[in-house]
Amino acid sequence: MKLSPADFPKRKAEHSIISMVTCYDYTMACLVNQTNIDCVLVGDSLANVMHGEENTIPATVDLMALHTRAVHRGLPDKFLVADMPFLSTRLGLYRGTKAAGKLIAAGADSVKIEGADGNLELISHLVESGIPVMGHLGLTPQFFHAMGGYKVQGRTEEAKSKLINDAVAMEKAGCFAIVAECVPADVATAMSRVVSVPVIGIGGGSAVDGQVLVLHDLLGLSSFKPKFVRHFMNGADLVKNALNEYDECCKNHTFPAAEETFTK
């Protein structure tokens, strides 16, 4: 059964782990829809994965809406979250609400917002307006310039305290779940203990309430493999081997075969 925002805290209370993956296109969405995965994120990582950008900054609201609409068409049975892209939350309540509304209209069931500082008012406003919000703390890729790159967050006591306090603030603002990215396991665990909503880790250890990975990473379709990623299959070799077999069959005239050829 498809989850609702109210189900996320219930799943945490039941100690039922939430599985989440990214997805960016209709074909993959159709496949994910046939699995046991609980939740899908149209992440602004699509800028990297689908468009070859160096970071997530080039993702726009229009681009996010385009991919969200495609995923929505193939994903009727899964809860769908769409990322609010770079600066879309920083241009005032009106523009932030308009951007979130565009993603919901494209088929998202909720939006995800990176960072607590400067975003709590918008989060509360969106929730009060009927738009569910998932929070995101720790390594927030939209802030990688300010962070000095992609680095593990929460390594000092001060930084750990801030992450815990931000998690509490996000829950109070109305977030139904919070992603914790690239933080020490004890920090992610501490974040989970102080909130009643699930903390979903990506590089946050196993003692949290759920996990999220980029689909292309877990399928081994990319050479990108940071410490927190596991390749659950060697997708790159499978694809290359299939293409090479197709090439060979074309060139030795074994494709198309008689049964693959029209005669009339």
Side-chain angles (χ1 to χ4, degrees):
M1 182 180 295
K2 181 176 176 175
L3 294 176
S4 72
D7 291 323
F8 282 75
K10 291 178 183 177
R11 289 283 294 268
K12 175 170 182 160
E14 296 166 354
H15 305 288
S16 178
I17 296 297
I18 296 165
S19 61
M20 184 174 177
V21 297
T22 66
C23 188
Y24 314 110
D25 65 88
Y26 171 77
T27 300
M28 284 295 193
C30 289
L31 294 175
V32 175
N33 195 61
Q34 299 172 55
T35 72
N36 296 325
I37 293 295
D38 295 311
C39 181
V40 170
L41 169 67
V42 181
D44 57 2
S45 49
L46 62 83
N48 312 74
V49 177
M50 304 301 289
H51 297 277
E53 301 286 358
E54 293 183 359
N55 51 60
T56 66
I57 302 301
T60 64
V61 174
D62 286 342
L63 187 63
M64 295 301 304
L66 178 70
H67 284 269
T68 298
R69 188 171 291 108
V71 173
H72 169 70
R73 291 191 185 111
L75 200 78
D77 304 321
K78 307 293 181 184
F79 189 84
L80 182 58
V81 184
D83 262 335
M84 291 280 282
F86 182 63
L87 291 184
S88 63
T89 67
R90 316 299 285 192
L91 301 172
L93 287 182
Y94 172 76
R95 291 187 180 182
T97 304
K98 187 175 181 180
K102 189 165 190 174
L103 297 179
I104 297 296
D109 296 303
S110 76
V111 298
K112 181 167 72 64
I113 291 179
E114 291 189 9
D117 291 346
N119 287 328
L120 297 176
E121 184 183 9
L122 176 61
I123 291 170
S124 294
H125 181 71
L126 292 178
V127 173
E128 290 168 359
S129 302
I131 298 178
V133 179
M134 177 179 284
H136 185 157
L137 295 170
L139 173 58
T140 45
Q142 292 173 18
F143 293 83
F144 87 100
H145 285 304
M147 291 179 169
Y150 298 104
K151 299 177 180 179
V152 175
Q153 302 297 303
R155 282 178 158 162
T156 66
E157 285 302 314
E158 180 182 2
K160 176 179 178 179
S161 295
K162 174 151 177 52
L163 284 171
I164 292 171
N165 291 336
D166 283 351
V168 172
M170 278 191 153
E171 180 183 22
K172 286 182 178 178
C175 289
F176 66 88
I178 300 168
V179 170
E181 181 171 357
C182 286
V183 299
D186 67 311
V187 177
T189 303
M191 292 168 67
S192 178
R193 286 174 178 166
V194 299
V195 294
S196 61
V197 299
V199 171
I200 300 174
I202 174 168
S206 60
V208 286
D209 311 300
Q211 300 291 335
V212 56
L213 281 178
V214 170
L215 183 61
H216 294 65
D217 291 345
L218 75 88
L219 293 179
L221 293 170
S222 161
S223 59
F224 180 69
K225 195 179 183 302
K227 183 180 179 69
F228 59 83
V229 167
R230 180 187 298 180
H231 289 170
F232 287 84
M233 63 178 276
N234 192 346
D237 281 351
L238 290 173
V239 171
K240 288 186 288 185
N241 289 342
L243 290 171
N244 284 332
E245 182 178 356
Y246 164 67
D247 172 77
E248 181 180 356
C249 289
C250 288
K251 292 173 179 175
N252 64 21
H253 302 287
T254 59
F255 176 83
E259 63 270 20
E260 296 159 333
T261 303
F262 296 105
T263 57
K264 290 184 181 180

